[in-house]
């Protein structure tokens, strides 16, 4: 891969790549993290230097440019990387930024989803290398972690991979780019870090912290290994892209 690395764009210190980073490291793929969100004129890397691009979650809206001026540059980077065929992965806010950058519509405050809940994989989702490992016992409705209130329409030409009753577009693919509204990158240590953050804890309603902890104890032993297989598919795409 000749010096190229995966760029991980973070919007909060605690919302790092998690299992995405672990999957990349398992294949010996270098990655680094940057924060662009609040910079008026962020230094955006040349796409030719990227082996892949990952955009993580955050509390702001995908179009909150007035408060977070770096979002505009991030959307441009996401769109240009997708157009160039770079493997791109967007998670939660990262998915929303990706969708908007490709012509999708943002729906602010569309409906709150916090905690474990099922997503229904579409036929395309079941066949997609990033999502098929989530299927267990032939069911296309894996339970994953949600933490959002905004939603997006899939961008023109994209394929919807997963949905939920509350959020019709839970995952989509547009060429080399995949967006996931849910938080597949989490494991026990990362979730505990989230719960220790005052901003995250303040976002929870009565009883939700306890339910999250109980559901994580029951579901992570099965979900984390499958998530690593999902992100290994992204790592494989990175290897194939840059050779």
């Amino acid at each position: 891969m000749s010096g190229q690395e995966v760029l991980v764009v973070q919007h909060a210190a605690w919302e790092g790549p998690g299992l995405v980073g672990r999957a990349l490291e398992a294949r010996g793929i270098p990655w680094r993290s940057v924060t662009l969100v609040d910079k008026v004129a962020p230094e955006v890397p040349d796409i030719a230097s990227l082996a892949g691009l990952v955009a993580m979650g955050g509390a702001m809206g995908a179009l909150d440019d007035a408060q977070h001026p770096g979002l505009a540059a991030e959307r441009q980077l996401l769109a240009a990387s997708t157009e160039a065929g770079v493997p791109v992965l967007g998670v939660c806010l990262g998915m929303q930024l990706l969708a908007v950058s490709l012509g999708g519509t943002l729906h602010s405050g569309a409906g709150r989803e916090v905690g474990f809940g099922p997503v229904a994989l579409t036929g395309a989702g079941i066949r997609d290398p990033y999502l098929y490992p989530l299927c267990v016992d032939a069911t296309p409705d894996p339970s994953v972690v949600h933490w959002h209130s905004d939603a997006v329409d899939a961008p023109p030409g994209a394929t919807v991979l997963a949905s939920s009753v509350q959020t019709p577009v839970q995952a989509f693919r547009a060429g080399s780019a995949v967006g996931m509204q849910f938080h597949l990158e989490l494991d026990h240590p990362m979730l505990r870090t989230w719960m220790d953050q005052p901003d995250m804890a303040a976002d929870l309603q009565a009883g939700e912290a306890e339910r999250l902890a109980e559901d994580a104890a029951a579901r992570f032993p099965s979900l984390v290994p499958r998530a690593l297989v999902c992100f290994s598919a992204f790592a494989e795409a990175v290897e194939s892209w840059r050779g």
Side-chain angles (χ1 to χ4, degrees):
M1 290 168 47
S2 183
Q4 292 167 332
E5 60 189 358
V6 173
L7 186 70
V8 178
V9 183
Q10 291 186 221
H11 308 93
W14 55 87
E15 294 209 41
L19 297 180
V20 183
R22 194 191 304 181
L24 292 171
E25 291 162 5
R27 287 179 173 263
I29 299 172
W31 62 272
R32 68 181 176 96
S33 168
V34 299
T35 303
L36 308 176
V37 62
D38 290 326
K39 298 179 179 178
V40 175
E43 185 176 340
V44 178
D46 183 358
I47 292 173
S49 70
L50 299 182
L53 177 63
V54 182
M56 299 309 303
M60 61 286 299
L63 293 174
D64 286 352
D65 294 12
Q67 299 87 357
H68 305 285
L71 291 174
E74 185 177 347
R75 292 195 303 270
Q76 292 171 4
L77 179 61
L78 285 163
S81 298
T82 302
E83 183 178 358
V86 175
V88 174
L89 179 65
V91 176
C92 199
L93 171 63
M95 167 184 154
Q96 296 162 10
L97 288 163
L98 175 63
V100 171
S101 78
L102 299 177
T105 300
L106 177 70
H107 301 284
S108 299
R112 186 177 182 275
E113 279 185 302
V114 176
F116 278 85
V119 292
L121 301 189
T122 64
I126 293 171
R127 295 188 298 273
D128 194 275
Y130 289 19
L131 292 186
Y132 86 87
L134 294 180
C135 298
V136 178
D137 299 328
T139 176
D141 300 319
S143 186
V144 293
V145 180
H146 305 271
W147 202 312
H148 72 102
S149 58
D150 292 354
V152 290
D153 293 335
T159 301
V160 176
L161 304 178
S163 65
S164 67
V165 173
Q166 181 68 54
T167 307
V169 181
Q170 282 281 358
F172 70 85
R173 177 178 285 276
S176 64
V178 171
M180 299 179 184
Q181 182 60 66
F182 45 90
H183 289 281
L184 202 58
E185 79 279 14
L186 289 170
D187 59 6
H188 280 293
M190 190 171 179
L191 180 60
R192 283 194 292 268
T193 297
W194 280 24
M195 303 291 282
D196 288 341
Q197 300 302 318
D199 289 349
M200 301 293 281
D203 197 36
L204 296 174
Q205 297 176 357
E208 284 184 334
E210 293 77 11
R211 284 195 295 274
L212 262 170
E214 292 171 2
D215 287 344
R219 298 187 182 278
F220 273 166
S222 172
L223 181 59
V224 167
R226 287 181 283 132
L228 283 169
V229 177
C230 295
F231 295 134
S232 291
F234 172 70
E236 184 176 349
V238 169
E239 289 180 327
S240 299
W241 166 242
R242 289 309 187 188

PDB file of all heavy atoms in Angstrom, residues 66-100:
ATOM      1  N   ALA A  66     -22.914  26.328  10.217  1.00  0.00           N
ATOM      2  CA  ALA A  66     -22.708  27.602  10.906  1.00  0.00           C
ATOM      3  C   ALA A  66     -21.986  27.397  12.238  1.00  0.00           C
ATOM      4  O   ALA A  66     -21.089  28.168  12.601  1.00  0.00           O
ATOM      5  CB  ALA A  66     -24.053  28.290  11.137  1.00  0.00           C
ATOM      6  N   GLN A  67     -22.354  26.336  12.964  1.00  0.00           N
ATOM      7  CA  GLN A  67     -21.718  26.047  14.242  1.00  0.00           C
ATOM      8  C   GLN A  67     -20.439  25.219  14.075  1.00  0.00           C
ATOM      9  O   GLN A  67     -19.535  25.275  14.910  1.00  0.00           O
ATOM     10  CB  GLN A  67     -22.683  25.292  15.163  1.00  0.00           C
ATOM     11  CG  GLN A  67     -23.947  26.054  15.511  1.00  0.00           C
ATOM     12  CD  GLN A  67     -25.052  25.859  14.471  1.00  0.00           C
ATOM     13  OE1 GLN A  67     -24.857  25.192  13.452  1.00  0.00           O
ATOM     14  NE2 GLN A  67     -26.200  26.446  14.747  1.00  0.00           N
ATOM     15  N   HIS A  68     -20.368  24.444  12.997  1.00  0.00           N
ATOM     16  CA  HIS A  68     -19.250  23.518  12.787  1.00  0.00           C
ATOM     17  C   HIS A  68     -18.786  23.637  11.334  1.00  0.00           C
ATOM     18  O   HIS A  68     -19.143  22.820  10.474  1.00  0.00           O
ATOM     19  CB  HIS A  68     -19.685  22.092  13.106  1.00  0.00           C
ATOM     20  CG  HIS A  68     -20.261  21.935  14.481  1.00  0.00           C
ATOM     21  ND1 HIS A  68     -19.481  21.918  15.616  1.00  0.00           N
ATOM     22  CD2 HIS A  68     -21.551  21.809  14.899  1.00  0.00           C
ATOM     23  CE1 HIS A  68     -20.252  21.780  16.680  1.00  0.00           C
ATOM     24  NE2 HIS A  68     -21.508  21.707  16.271  1.00  0.00           N
ATOM     25  N   PRO A  69     -17.987  24.658  11.026  1.00  0.00           N
ATOM     26  CA  PRO A  69     -17.676  24.979   9.631  1.00  0.00           C
ATOM     27  C   PRO A  69     -16.885  23.904   8.886  1.00  0.00           C
ATOM     28  O   PRO A  69     -16.886  23.886   7.656  1.00  0.00           O
ATOM     29  CB  PRO A  69     -16.864  26.273   9.740  1.00  0.00           C
ATOM     30  CG  PRO A  69     -16.335  26.288  11.137  1.00  0.00           C
ATOM     31  CD  PRO A  69     -17.384  25.620  11.963  1.00  0.00           C
ATOM     32  N   GLY A  70     -16.226  23.001   9.606  1.00  0.00           N
ATOM     33  CA  GLY A  70     -15.461  21.960   8.931  1.00  0.00           C
ATOM     34  C   GLY A  70     -16.310  20.897   8.266  1.00  0.00           C
ATOM     35  O   GLY A  70     -15.801  20.100   7.466  1.00  0.00           O
ATOM     36  N   LEU A  71     -17.611  20.861   8.567  1.00  0.00           N
ATOM     37  CA  LEU A  71     -18.482  19.848   7.980  1.00  0.00           C
ATOM     38  C   LEU A  71     -18.553  19.956   6.462  1.00  0.00           C
ATOM     39  O   LEU A  71     -18.657  18.945   5.761  1.00  0.00           O
ATOM     40  CB  LEU A  71     -19.896  19.946   8.572  1.00  0.00           C
ATOM     41  CG  LEU A  71     -20.051  19.545  10.040  1.00  0.00           C
ATOM     42  CD1 LEU A  71     -21.474  19.843  10.513  1.00  0.00           C
ATOM     43  CD2 LEU A  71     -19.718  18.072  10.241  1.00  0.00           C
ATOM     44  N   ALA A  72     -18.509  21.167   5.947  1.00  0.00           N
ATOM     45  CA  ALA A  72     -18.600  21.356   4.499  1.00  0.00           C
ATOM     46  C   ALA A  72     -17.413  20.697   3.798  1.00  0.00           C
ATOM     47  O   ALA A  72     -17.576  20.004   2.779  1.00  0.00           O
ATOM     48  CB  ALA A  72     -18.659  22.837   4.159  1.00  0.00           C
ATOM     49  N   ALA A  73     -16.214  20.882   4.342  1.00  0.00           N
ATOM     50  CA  ALA A  73     -15.032  20.259   3.754  1.00  0.00           C
ATOM     51  C   ALA A  73     -15.099  18.746   3.863  1.00  0.00           C
ATOM     52  O   ALA A  73     -14.667  18.018   2.950  1.00  0.00           O
ATOM     53  CB  ALA A  73     -13.771  20.778   4.452  1.00  0.00           C
ATOM     54  N   GLU A  74     -15.656  18.257   4.962  1.00  0.00           N
ATOM     55  CA  GLU A  74     -15.779  16.806   5.131  1.00  0.00           C
ATOM     56  C   GLU A  74     -16.744  16.210   4.107  1.00  0.00           C
ATOM     57  O   GLU A  74     -16.473  15.153   3.527  1.00  0.00           O
ATOM     58  CB  GLU A  74     -16.241  16.484   6.547  1.00  0.00           C
ATOM     59  CG  GLU A  74     -16.273  14.990   6.826  1.00  0.00           C
ATOM     60  CD  GLU A  74     -16.655  14.661   8.256  1.00  0.00           C
ATOM     61  OE1 GLU A  74     -16.654  15.579   9.113  1.00  0.00           O
ATOM     62  OE2 GLU A  74     -16.940  13.480   8.526  1.00  0.00           O
ATOM     63  N   ARG A  75     -17.855  16.890   3.875  1.00  0.00           N
ATOM     64  CA  ARG A  75     -18.798  16.391   2.865  1.00  0.00           C
ATOM     65  C   ARG A  75     -18.138  16.363   1.484  1.00  0.00           C
ATOM     66  O   ARG A  75     -18.341  15.414   0.707  1.00  0.00           O
ATOM     67  CB  ARG A  75     -20.067  17.247   2.843  1.00  0.00           C
ATOM     68  CG  ARG A  75     -20.927  17.114   4.097  1.00  0.00           C
ATOM     69  CD  ARG A  75     -22.328  17.693   3.877  1.00  0.00           C
ATOM     70  NE  ARG A  75     -22.287  19.085   3.463  1.00  0.00           N
ATOM     71  CZ  ARG A  75     -22.294  20.127   4.298  1.00  0.00           C
ATOM     72  NH1 ARG A  75     -22.327  19.926   5.612  1.00  0.00           N
ATOM     73  NH2 ARG A  75     -22.270  21.362   3.846  1.00  0.00           N
ATOM     74  N   GLN A  76     -17.368  17.392   1.181  1.00  0.00           N
ATOM     75  CA  GLN A  76     -16.671  17.420  -0.112  1.00  0.00           C
ATOM     76  C   GLN A  76     -15.690  16.264  -0.223  1.00  0.00           C
ATOM     77  O   GLN A  76     -15.575  15.629  -1.277  1.00  0.00           O
ATOM     78  CB  GLN A  76     -15.952  18.759  -0.275  1.00  0.00           C
ATOM     79  CG  GLN A  76     -16.890  19.948  -0.434  1.00  0.00           C
ATOM     80  CD  GLN A  76     -16.158  21.285  -0.374  1.00  0.00           C
ATOM     81  OE1 GLN A  76     -14.927  21.335  -0.283  1.00  0.00           O
ATOM     82  NE2 GLN A  76     -16.906  22.382  -0.409  1.00  0.00           N
ATOM     83  N   LEU A  77     -14.989  15.971   0.862  1.00  0.00           N
ATOM     84  CA  LEU A  77     -14.033  14.863   0.866  1.00  0.00           C
ATOM     85  C   LEU A  77     -14.747  13.531   0.676  1.00  0.00           C
ATOM     86  O   LEU A  77     -14.276  12.659  -0.068  1.00  0.00           O
ATOM     87  CB  LEU A  77     -13.245  14.864   2.173  1.00  0.00           C
ATOM     88  CG  LEU A  77     -12.204  13.756   2.347  1.00  0.00           C
ATOM     89  CD1 LEU A  77     -11.132  13.828   1.270  1.00  0.00           C
ATOM     90  CD2 LEU A  77     -11.591  13.818   3.746  1.00  0.00           C
ATOM     91  N   LEU A  78     -15.879  13.357   1.336  1.00  0.00           N
ATOM     92  CA  LEU A  78     -16.640  12.121   1.206  1.00  0.00           C
ATOM     93  C   LEU A  78     -17.123  11.926  -0.230  1.00  0.00           C
ATOM     94  O   LEU A  78     -17.014  10.825  -0.794  1.00  0.00           O
ATOM     95  CB  LEU A  78     -17.832  12.141   2.161  1.00  0.00           C
ATOM     96  CG  LEU A  78     -17.510  11.923   3.639  1.00  0.00           C
ATOM     97  CD1 LEU A  78     -18.677  12.383   4.515  1.00  0.00           C
ATOM     98  CD2 LEU A  78     -17.182  10.467   3.918  1.00  0.00           C
ATOM     99  N   ALA A  79     -17.661  12.981  -0.824  1.00  0.00           N
ATOM    100  CA  ALA A  79     -18.170  12.888  -2.195  1.00  0.00           C
ATOM    101  C   ALA A  79     -17.044  12.605  -3.181  1.00  0.00           C
ATOM    102  O   ALA A  79     -17.166  11.742  -4.068  1.00  0.00           O
ATOM    103  CB  ALA A  79     -18.905  14.172  -2.576  1.00  0.00           C
ATOM    104  N   ALA A  80     -15.926  13.325  -3.044  1.00  0.00           N
ATOM    105  CA  ALA A  80     -14.819  13.146  -3.974  1.00  0.00           C
ATOM    106  C   ALA A  80     -14.193  11.766  -3.833  1.00  0.00           C
ATOM    107  O   ALA A  80     -13.814  11.138  -4.835  1.00  0.00           O
ATOM    108  CB  ALA A  80     -13.766  14.232  -3.733  1.00  0.00           C
ATOM    109  N   SER A  81     -14.102  11.267  -2.607  1.00  0.00           N
ATOM    110  CA  SER A  81     -13.535   9.937  -2.389  1.00  0.00           C
ATOM    111  C   SER A  81     -14.421   8.864  -2.992  1.00  0.00           C
ATOM    112  O   SER A  81     -13.937   7.910  -3.621  1.00  0.00           O
ATOM    113  CB  SER A  81     -13.341   9.688  -0.889  1.00  0.00           C
ATOM    114  OG  SER A  81     -12.425  10.609  -0.335  1.00  0.00           O
ATOM    115  N   THR A  82     -15.733   9.005  -2.817  1.00  0.00           N
ATOM    116  CA  THR A  82     -16.659   8.042  -3.409  1.00  0.00           C
ATOM    117  C   THR A  82     -16.580   8.075  -4.924  1.00  0.00           C
ATOM    118  O   THR A  82     -16.543   7.021  -5.584  1.00  0.00           O
ATOM    119  CB  THR A  82     -18.096   8.343  -2.945  1.00  0.00           C
ATOM    120  OG1 THR A  82     -18.162   8.291  -1.521  1.00  0.00           O
ATOM    121  CG2 THR A  82     -19.079   7.336  -3.524  1.00  0.00           C
ATOM    122  N   GLU A  83     -16.535   9.256  -5.484  1.00  0.00           N
ATOM    123  CA  GLU A  83     -16.431   9.382  -6.945  1.00  0.00           C
ATOM    124  C   GLU A  83     -15.145   8.744  -7.467  1.00  0.00           C
ATOM    125  O   GLU A  83     -15.133   8.148  -8.549  1.00  0.00           O
ATOM    126  CB  GLU A  83     -16.474  10.857  -7.340  1.00  0.00           C
ATOM    127  CG  GLU A  83     -16.449  11.079  -8.855  1.00  0.00           C
ATOM    128  CD  GLU A  83     -16.542  12.545  -9.227  1.00  0.00           C
ATOM    129  OE1 GLU A  83     -16.662  13.390  -8.309  1.00  0.00           O
ATOM    130  OE2 GLU A  83     -16.494  12.855 -10.432  1.00  0.00           O
ATOM    131  N   ALA A  84     -14.073   8.828  -6.689  1.00  0.00           N
ATOM    132  CA  ALA A  84     -12.789   8.269  -7.108  1.00  0.00           C
ATOM    133  C   ALA A  84     -12.707   6.765  -6.897  1.00  0.00           C
ATOM    134  O   ALA A  84     -11.746   6.136  -7.342  1.00  0.00           O
ATOM    135  CB  ALA A  84     -11.658   8.958  -6.354  1.00  0.00           C
ATOM    136  N   GLY A  85     -13.690   6.179  -6.190  1.00  0.00           N
ATOM    137  CA  GLY A  85     -13.672   4.747  -5.939  1.00  0.00           C
ATOM    138  C   GLY A  85     -12.943   4.333  -4.688  1.00  0.00           C
ATOM    139  O   GLY A  85     -12.715   3.139  -4.466  1.00  0.00           O
ATOM    140  N   VAL A  86     -12.564   5.291  -3.847  1.00  0.00           N
ATOM    141  CA  VAL A  86     -11.913   4.981  -2.578  1.00  0.00           C
ATOM    142  C   VAL A  86     -12.917   4.266  -1.668  1.00  0.00           C
ATOM    143  O   VAL A  86     -14.075   4.688  -1.585  1.00  0.00           O
ATOM    144  CB  VAL A  86     -11.418   6.267  -1.895  1.00  0.00           C
ATOM    145  CG1 VAL A  86     -10.835   5.975  -0.517  1.00  0.00           C
ATOM    146  CG2 VAL A  86     -10.411   6.983  -2.773  1.00  0.00           C
ATOM    147  N   PRO A  87     -12.533   3.202  -0.967  1.00  0.00           N
ATOM    148  CA  PRO A  87     -13.443   2.595   0.008  1.00  0.00           C
ATOM    149  C   PRO A  87     -13.802   3.598   1.109  1.00  0.00           C
ATOM    150  O   PRO A  87     -12.910   4.140   1.771  1.00  0.00           O
ATOM    151  CB  PRO A  87     -12.639   1.415   0.559  1.00  0.00           C
ATOM    152  CG  PRO A  87     -11.664   1.084  -0.518  1.00  0.00           C
ATOM    153  CD  PRO A  87     -11.298   2.405  -1.129  1.00  0.00           C
ATOM    154  N   VAL A  88     -15.091   3.851   1.261  1.00  0.00           N
ATOM    155  CA  VAL A  88     -15.581   4.840   2.221  1.00  0.00           C
ATOM    156  C   VAL A  88     -16.578   4.162   3.150  1.00  0.00           C
ATOM    157  O   VAL A  88     -17.424   3.373   2.698  1.00  0.00           O
ATOM    158  CB  VAL A  88     -16.253   6.027   1.505  1.00  0.00           C
ATOM    159  CG1 VAL A  88     -16.889   6.984   2.512  1.00  0.00           C
ATOM    160  CG2 VAL A  88     -15.252   6.763   0.627  1.00  0.00           C
ATOM    161  N   LEU A  89     -16.486   4.477   4.437  1.00  0.00           N
ATOM    162  CA  LEU A  89     -17.430   3.958   5.425  1.00  0.00           C
ATOM    163  C   LEU A  89     -17.910   5.112   6.282  1.00  0.00           C
ATOM    164  O   LEU A  89     -17.095   5.849   6.856  1.00  0.00           O
ATOM    165  CB  LEU A  89     -16.753   2.900   6.291  1.00  0.00           C
ATOM    166  CG  LEU A  89     -17.601   2.261   7.391  1.00  0.00           C
ATOM    167  CD1 LEU A  89     -18.754   1.452   6.790  1.00  0.00           C
ATOM    168  CD2 LEU A  89     -16.735   1.371   8.281  1.00  0.00           C
ATOM    169  N   GLY A  90     -19.239   5.301   6.370  1.00  0.00           N
ATOM    170  CA  GLY A  90     -19.816   6.335   7.215  1.00  0.00           C
ATOM    171  C   GLY A  90     -20.668   5.713   8.302  1.00  0.00           C
ATOM    172  O   GLY A  90     -21.486   4.840   8.014  1.00  0.00           O
ATOM    173  N   VAL A  91     -20.491   6.164   9.549  1.00  0.00           N
ATOM    174  CA  VAL A  91     -21.205   5.612  10.696  1.00  0.00           C
ATOM    175  C   VAL A  91     -22.004   6.718  11.377  1.00  0.00           C
ATOM    176  O   VAL A  91     -21.441   7.746  11.769  1.00  0.00           O
ATOM    177  CB  VAL A  91     -20.228   4.969  11.701  1.00  0.00           C
ATOM    178  CG1 VAL A  91     -20.978   4.477  12.935  1.00  0.00           C
ATOM    179  CG2 VAL A  91     -19.455   3.828  11.048  1.00  0.00           C
ATOM    180  N   CYS A  92     -23.308   6.521  11.507  1.00  0.00           N
ATOM    181  CA  CYS A  92     -24.223   7.438  12.185  1.00  0.00           C
ATOM    182  C   CYS A  92     -24.128   8.838  11.550  1.00  0.00           C
ATOM    183  O   CYS A  92     -24.517   9.009  10.405  1.00  0.00           O
ATOM    184  CB  CYS A  92     -23.965   7.460  13.686  1.00  0.00           C
ATOM    185  SG  CYS A  92     -25.373   8.113  14.633  1.00  0.00           S
ATOM    186  N   LEU A  93     -23.596   9.835  12.244  1.00  0.00           N
ATOM    187  CA  LEU A  93     -23.410  11.141  11.603  1.00  0.00           C
ATOM    188  C   LEU A  93     -22.603  10.991  10.321  1.00  0.00           C
ATOM    189  O   LEU A  93     -22.883  11.660   9.321  1.00  0.00           O
ATOM    190  CB  LEU A  93     -22.707  12.113  12.564  1.00  0.00           C
ATOM    191  CG  LEU A  93     -22.247  13.436  11.958  1.00  0.00           C
ATOM    192  CD1 LEU A  93     -23.422  14.262  11.447  1.00  0.00           C
ATOM    193  CD2 LEU A  93     -21.413  14.228  12.967  1.00  0.00           C
ATOM    194  N   GLY A  94     -21.599  10.128  10.339  1.00  0.00           N
ATOM    195  CA  GLY A  94     -20.793   9.901   9.142  1.00  0.00           C
ATOM    196  C   GLY A  94     -21.618   9.408   7.972  1.00  0.00           C
ATOM    197  O   GLY A  94     -21.376   9.791   6.821  1.00  0.00           O
ATOM    198  N   MET A  95     -22.604   8.554   8.255  1.00  0.00           N
ATOM    199  CA  MET A  95     -23.513   8.110   7.194  1.00  0.00           C
ATOM    200  C   MET A  95     -24.354   9.267   6.687  1.00  0.00           C
ATOM    201  O   MET A  95     -24.586   9.406   5.476  1.00  0.00           O
ATOM    202  CB  MET A  95     -24.422   6.999   7.704  1.00  0.00           C
ATOM    203  CG  MET A  95     -25.591   6.697   6.759  1.00  0.00           C
ATOM    204  SD  MET A  95     -26.731   5.466   7.422  1.00  0.00           S
ATOM    205  CE  MET A  95     -28.249   5.938   6.573  1.00  0.00           C
ATOM    206  N   GLN A  96     -24.834  10.111   7.587  1.00  0.00           N
ATOM    207  CA  GLN A  96     -25.660  11.248   7.183  1.00  0.00           C
ATOM    208  C   GLN A  96     -24.857  12.231   6.337  1.00  0.00           C
ATOM    209  O   GLN A  96     -25.352  12.743   5.322  1.00  0.00           O
ATOM    210  CB  GLN A  96     -26.239  11.919   8.432  1.00  0.00           C
ATOM    211  CG  GLN A  96     -27.179  11.021   9.218  1.00  0.00           C
ATOM    212  CD  GLN A  96     -27.418  11.487  10.633  1.00  0.00           C
ATOM    213  OE1 GLN A  96     -27.021  12.596  11.012  1.00  0.00           O
ATOM    214  NE2 GLN A  96     -28.040  10.647  11.447  1.00  0.00           N
ATOM    215  N   LEU A  97     -23.619  12.485   6.737  1.00  0.00           N
ATOM    216  CA  LEU A  97     -22.752  13.356   5.937  1.00  0.00           C
ATOM    217  C   LEU A  97     -22.509  12.752   4.559  1.00  0.00           C
ATOM    218  O   LEU A  97     -22.520  13.465   3.543  1.00  0.00           O
ATOM    219  CB  LEU A  97     -21.421  13.560   6.659  1.00  0.00           C
ATOM    220  CG  LEU A  97     -21.458  14.453   7.897  1.00  0.00           C
ATOM    221  CD1 LEU A  97     -20.205  14.236   8.743  1.00  0.00           C
ATOM    222  CD2 LEU A  97     -21.589  15.916   7.496  1.00  0.00           C
ATOM    223  N   LEU A  98     -22.283  11.452   4.512  1.00  0.00           N
ATOM    224  CA  LEU A  98     -22.065  10.766   3.246  1.00  0.00           C
ATOM    225  C   LEU A  98     -23.297  10.884   2.358  1.00  0.00           C
ATOM    226  O   LEU A  98     -23.198  11.235   1.167  1.00  0.00           O
ATOM    227  CB  LEU A  98     -21.735   9.296   3.505  1.00  0.00           C
ATOM    228  CG  LEU A  98     -21.600   8.391   2.286  1.00  0.00           C
ATOM    229  CD1 LEU A  98     -20.450   8.824   1.398  1.00  0.00           C
ATOM    230  CD2 LEU A  98     -21.415   6.935   2.743  1.00  0.00           C
ATOM    231  N   ALA A  99     -24.470  10.614   2.921  1.00  0.00           N
ATOM    232  CA  ALA A  99     -25.702  10.669   2.133  1.00  0.00           C
ATOM    233  C   ALA A  99     -25.935  12.070   1.567  1.00  0.00           C
ATOM    234  O   ALA A  99     -26.242  12.232   0.379  1.00  0.00           O
ATOM    235  CB  ALA A  99     -26.888  10.235   2.988  1.00  0.00           C
ATOM    236  N   VAL A 100     -25.797  13.081   2.416  1.00  0.00           N
ATOM    237  CA  VAL A 100     -26.022  14.458   1.964  1.00  0.00           C
ATOM    238  C   VAL A 100     -25.004  14.850   0.907  1.00  0.00           C
ATOM    239  O   VAL A 100     -25.333  15.530  -0.082  1.00  0.00           O
ATOM    240  CB  VAL A 100     -25.990  15.415   3.167  1.00  0.00           C
ATOM    241  CG1 VAL A 100     -26.007  16.869   2.704  1.00  0.00           C
ATOM    242  CG2 VAL A 100     -27.168  15.149   4.097  1.00  0.00           C
TER     243      VAL A 100
END
